[in-house]
Amino acid sequence: MAQSMSFFIVIVVLAFAPICFSTKTYGGYLFPQFYDRSCPQAKEIVKSIVAKAVSKEARMAASLLRLHFHDCFVKGCDASLLLDSSGSIISEKRSNPNRNSARGFEVIDEIKKALEKECPQTVSCADILALAARDSTVLAGGPNWEVPLGRRDSRGASLSGSNQNIPAPNNTFNTILTKFKLKGLDIVDLVALSGSHTIGNARCTSFRQRLYDQSGNSLPDSTLEQSYAAQLRTRCPRSGGDQTLFVMDFVSPTKFDNNYFKNLLASKGLLNSDQVLVTKNQESLALVKQYAENNELFFEHFANSMVKMGNISPLTGSRGEIRKNCRKINY
C-alpha cells in the first residue's frame, strides 16, 4: 500500500512539474517545456533560422528583438503586430512606431513555414517572437534565458494601441515610466530593457529635434555632448534624410554589452528616451551607473525583465488561436 501511494505521489508530481516551474498567466501557464512533446524540434528550428538571418545581416538581431517589444506593449504578447491589414483588421505595422521602421517579418515567416512543415498548427507566432528575441540577443553576445512558452495568437490588432502604448523616442521620462507601469513593469525593467539599444539603429527623424530644436526654442538639447551632436548633424540635417540610419551604440554597435550605459554617462545617448535615464530621475541614473560598471548585473536584470515582459497578457488555454500564417488569422 505504501509503495502504491509513493508511486501515486511521483505521478502527481510529474504531472504538475511544468506548473511548478512556470509563469502563471491569466487563464493558464507558460513554461519552457510547453512544446517538448508536441513539437520537440521547435526551439532548434527557430534558433537555426534566426542564426542564418543574423549571419546574413547583423542588424537583424536588433530588429527581431524589437518586434517582441512592440508586440508585447500592444494587447500583450499575442503576435498582433504580425497581422497584415485585411477585412476588419487594420495592421499595427501602419502605426508611427512601426511604419518604415519595424522589420524582420520575412524571417518570422520563414520560421513559421518550417514549423508548420514539422508540426502543423502547433507553435504560435507569439512564441516564435519570444524565442527569436532570445536567440537574437544570445547571437549578439548577450545573456541567455529560458523562454516560458504556451502563448496563443490574437485574432485582431490595435493600431491605436500601437500608437499610444509603445514608448516614443521623444517621450518624457515620466511618460515612458507610466507606459511601462501600465504593463506591470517597473523602473528596473525600464532601464534594463532600454539596454537593448546597445544593438540596432535609429532613423534621423527619431532624434532630429535634439540636434536643432529640443524645446521649441530653436536650440539643441543641452544634455547631448557637443562634439557628438556635431557629428550627428553632418548626416542628419535640419530637413531631409529622415530615413538615414545611425547606430545607437557607436562603440560596439552589433555587440550586446553595457557600452550603451557608458555612452549615456558620457552624454552620448542617441535618443532623447535614452538620455533621460540619466538626466531626469535619480533612481534610473543609479541603475545606469550600476550597469555601466557591472555587465553581469545588466545581463541578469535584462534576462529577468525579458521574461517579465514576455508575460504581459498572453492568450493561453482556449483563447486566441494558433495561426497557420503569422500575417493573417485562420478562417
Side-chain angles (χ1 to χ4, degrees), residues 208-222 233 238:
R208 175 183 282 122
Q209 71 176 61
R210 298 191 71 203
L211 303 179
Y212 302 102
D213 189 20
Q214 173 68 357
S215 305
N217 56 5
S218 298
L219 295 175
D221 186 349
S222 60
R233 278 191 287 267
R238 192 178 292 269

Side-chain angles (χ1 to χ4, degrees), residues 86-90:
S86 65
S88 61
I89 296 173
I90 302 176

Side-chain angles (χ1 to χ4, degrees), residues 20-168:
C20 298
F21 302 99
S22 67
T23 304
K24 191 176 188 303
T25 71
Y26 296 102
Y29 289 87
L30 302 181
F31 53 96
Q33 303 83 11
F34 189 84
Y35 297 111
D36 281 6
R37 291 187 178 181
S38 61
C39 192
Q41 295 302 311
K43 295 176 187 176
E44 282 303 315
I45 289 172
V46 175
K47 184 179 179 180
S48 64
I49 295 175
V50 170
K52 183 178 69 172
V54 172
S55 175
K56 185 177 180 181
E57 181 192 13
R59 180 189 170 200
M60 188 54 70
S63 298
L64 293 173
L65 178 55
R66 187 167 180 258
L67 284 183
H68 187 40
F69 276 79
H70 283 214
D71 178 47
C72 289
F73 268 78
V74 184
K75 296 173 73 272
C77 307
D78 61 1
S80 61
L81 170 59
L82 302 180
L83 290 171
D84 289 337
S85 295
S86 65
S88 61
I89 296 173
I90 302 176
S91 178
E92 293 169 18
K93 297 172 185 177
R94 296 184 180 184
S95 72
N96 291 328
N98 295 324
R99 188 174 60 249
N100 299 321
S101 177
R103 60 196 299 274
F105 299 109
E106 294 79 8
V107 178
I108 302 300
D109 290 341
E110 184 179 349
I111 294 170
K112 183 59 175 173
K113 184 178 180 181
L115 286 170
E116 284 300 301
K117 184 178 180 180
E118 177 73 18
C119 32
Q121 270 191 278
T122 302
V123 182
S124 70
C125 300
D127 279 344
I128 291 173
L129 285 175
L131 287 167
R134 187 274 309 274
D135 294 339
S136 294
T137 301
V138 173
L139 285 165
N144 195 357
W145 63 91
E146 278 203 301
V147 180
L149 301 166
R151 302 168 189 80
R152 289 167 65 85
D153 301 323
S154 71
R155 293 181 57 81
S158 177
L159 179 63
S160 61
S162 187
N163 278 318
Q164 296 167 12
N165 299 343
I166 297 172

Side-chain angles (χ1 to χ4, degrees), residues 253-324:
T254 60
K255 184 179 180 183
F256 199 101
D257 57 26
N258 64 344
N259 275 319
Y260 163 81
F261 297 105
K262 296 176 181 179
N263 294 340
L264 295 187
L265 294 176
S267 299
K268 294 181 179 180
L270 184 62
L271 306 178
N272 181 72
S273 56
D274 294 323
Q275 201 60 53
V276 293
L277 298 180
V278 303
T279 61
K280 299 299 183 181
N281 184 277
Q282 288 301 309
E283 190 175 354
S284 64
L285 170 59
L287 286 163
V288 168
K289 288 180 177 178
Q290 289 180 51
Y291 296 156
E293 295 171 1
N294 190 335
N295 193 60
E296 288 185 6
L297 181 66
F298 164 46
F299 277 20
E300 178 188 341
H301 285 190
F302 183 84
N304 291 339
S305 293
M306 284 296 291
V307 171
K308 192 173 174 182
M309 185 191 74
N311 191 43
I312 298 175
S313 305
L315 299 173
T316 57
S318 60
R319 297 187 301 160
E321 65 179 18
I322 305 297
R323 288 184 213 143
K324 298 176 184 177

